[in-house]
Amino acid sequence: MASRVISADPYELEFDLKTAALLIIDMQRDFVEPGGFGESLGNDVSILRKAIAPTKLVLEACRKLGVMVVHTREGHRPDLTDCPPSKMARGRPKRKIGDDGAMGRLLVRGAKGHDIVPELYPVSGEVVIDKPGKGAFYATDLELILRNANIKTLIVCGVTTEVCVNTSVREANDRGFNCVVLEDCVGSYFPEFQSAGLAMIKAQGGIFGWVSNSKNALQALTK
């Protein structure tokens, strides 16, 4: 049977393996490793790294079951023509998008820092979406890919909870997808934003989706 039920808040979610996909958002070196864009903004990247191990367990389970896997990467063209000047200047950073960092140019496609961490690196056949914004659906072909695969449910992991994860879940919700966010597989540089970001998703009867964890996901996937 392909039908599964995952224990979640605000209530359990039933889904079908054949119409589910694992969406791993922006688990890139630039955000979760020292020397990347996240650290250049003054953040402690070790906080986000806690999400890698549980995400890897869910990823491995999905691969064994043949569940569709989608990875996203936030970043820009080398000439930065797809990066709004407002985004580049916001926060008055000491090192801006496109500047040289320890892993190449910050948030630029093709640089080492832009790529996905080795622990979660895509294998052949997995979809990789390069996005210029926070949302996974903005200026990408993600929706087309999911529709063509008849996907209805997204199991969501990645960083950061209050920014790219929340934005992508809201975009998915408006497009009719059910999203379950695994709280130990997502992370924020700010603990209070982690809590608030998850609370907003599951509030009001799951206004944007469901919140669960890797343990519940693995139980549902491997029942």
Side-chain angles (χ1 to χ4, degrees), residues 37 74-90 93 95-99 105-109 131-134 138-139:
F37 182 69
E74 181 182 350
H76 298 280
R77 296 171 178 268
D79 61 7
L80 302 181
T81 53
D82 61 346
C83 184
S86 59
K87 179 180 182 180
M88 208 177 309
R90 190 173 299 127
R95 286 191 294 167
K96 302 188 299 294
I97 295 170
D99 286 351
R105 297 176 67 200
L106 299 174
L107 282 193
V108 168
R109 296 174 188 175
K131 60 189 184 69
K134 309 304 182 190
Y138 170 68

Side-chain angles (χ1 to χ4, degrees), residues 6-8 13 153-157 178-182 209-212:
I6 182 171
S7 177
L13 171 66
T153 302
L154 299 175
I155 302 168
V156 182
C157 306
N178 286 329
C179 294
V180 55
V181 180
L182 306 185
W210 289 257
V211 174
S212 190

Side-chain angles (χ1 to χ4, degrees), residues 138-154:
Y138 170 68
T140 76
D141 54 3
L142 177 59
E143 182 175 4
L144 177 62
I145 291 171
L146 296 177
R147 297 289 186 207
N148 287 342
N150 194 32
I151 299 299
K152 298 178 181 179
T153 302
L154 299 175

